[in-house]
Amino acid sequence: MFTGIVEERGEIIGREDLAEAARFRIRGPLVTSDASFGDSIAVNGVCLTVVELDDGAFTVDVMAETLRRSSLDNLGPGATVNLERAMAAGGRFGGHIVQGHVDGVGTVVSVWPSENWTVVRIAVPGDLSRYVVEKGSITIDGISLTVSSIGRDDDRGDWLEVSLIPTTLSETTLGITATDARVNLEVDVIAKYVERLHGAGRAEGQQ
């Protein structure tokens, strides 16, 4: 489990495309400082397993399903990624419950900078928008954020906005993310459980 508090920005330094998979080599001195073979590290919000460690870098294998469901398939050497180690038992819970299981990919619609914060609007796939509420939690490329506004327009469909402070901009990839960029989205898992249980309860009541 993760909390969506990015520990460092890493860099993809190698990619090998395999049959129905890809192997990424990623530089991340902080997250590899105490990592071991088999550990979990979130890369842009995708929980991946360390298969090799070497000199401040780690290697992960990404299967075709994960590539299809996330934005990782668009990344190659030189790309910057958000990194977070799995939360240790007894660790400080700084963000919200993040599983590292991407639910879908959104698209950055606009970026509005101001003196003290920047507002980013992201188009949300229609099947995910029902889980997004104002002041609720959302994970964007592995970053735990609070939804500041939601809406819908004719061109892009459903969208959400997040307001980013300078620290978030400087310490994560959202500070260098451009319009039309694809970003990984993970909605609040509690909302999905509530929906599932509510549906099950209605079904039992109809029996």
Side-chain angles (χ1 to χ4, degrees):
M1 186 182 73
F2 306 91
T3 70
I5 303 301
V6 173
E7 296 186 273
E8 69 176 324
R9 293 198 305 188
E11 180 187 358
I12 296 177
I13 56 177
R15 171 174 175 161
E16 179 184 2
D17 289 309
L18 309 169
E20 298 296 315
R23 173 166 287 196
F24 289 89
R25 181 170 163 76
I26 303 168
R27 179 179 293 114
L30 177 59
V31 298
T32 57
S33 61
D34 62 351
S36 301
F37 174 83
D39 282 356
S40 296
I41 296 178
V43 179
N44 274 6
V46 182
C47 178
L48 298 172
T49 301
V50 175
V51 297
E52 291 180 6
L53 285 163
D54 179 37
D55 193 26
F58 64 100
T59 300
V60 292
D61 289 328
V62 186
M63 60 184 173
E65 176 73 1
T66 302
L67 293 172
R68 184 178 68 83
R69 288 182 172 270
S70 74
S71 65
L72 292 185
D73 197 32
N74 300 109
L75 303 182
T80 303
V81 290
N82 297 317
L83 302 176
E84 180 190 358
R85 289 169 289 191
M87 182 181 178
R92 184 167 293 171
F93 206 105
H96 72 282
I97 297 173
V98 177
Q99 296 180 295
H101 303 159
V102 172
D103 293 303
V105 176
T107 303
V108 176
V109 176
S110 58
V111 179
W112 298 319
S114 66
E115 183 178 357
N116 297 309
W117 66 85
T118 293
V119 176
V120 178
R121 177 176 289 187
I122 297 171
V124 181
D127 60 338
L128 296 184
S129 60
R130 67 181 181 273
Y131 302 115
V132 181
V133 297
E134 286 191 19
K135 309 307 178 185
S137 296
I138 187 79
T139 308
I140 301 175
D141 271 353
I143 310 162
S144 173
L145 296 167
T146 299
V147 177
S148 57
S149 183
I150 59 175
R152 180 179 178 81
D153 60 42
D154 294 334
D155 295 331
R156 295 280 191 168
D158 296 316
W159 52 260
L160 66 84
E161 289 179 352
V162 289
S163 299
L164 309 177
I165 61 174
T167 298
T168 303
L169 294 170
S170 64
E171 298 297 323
T172 73
T173 58
L174 284 183
I176 56 175
T177 298
T179 302
D180 292 328
R182 300 172 75 241
V183 291
N184 294 322
L185 302 175
E186 181 184 330
V187 299
D188 192 344
V189 67
I190 295 175
K192 292 189 289 185
Y193 277 124
V194 169
E195 179 185 62
R196 177 74 172 178
L197 291 170
H198 180 62
R202 287 190 300 174
E204 290 176 1
Q206 294 171 356
Q207 292 179 355

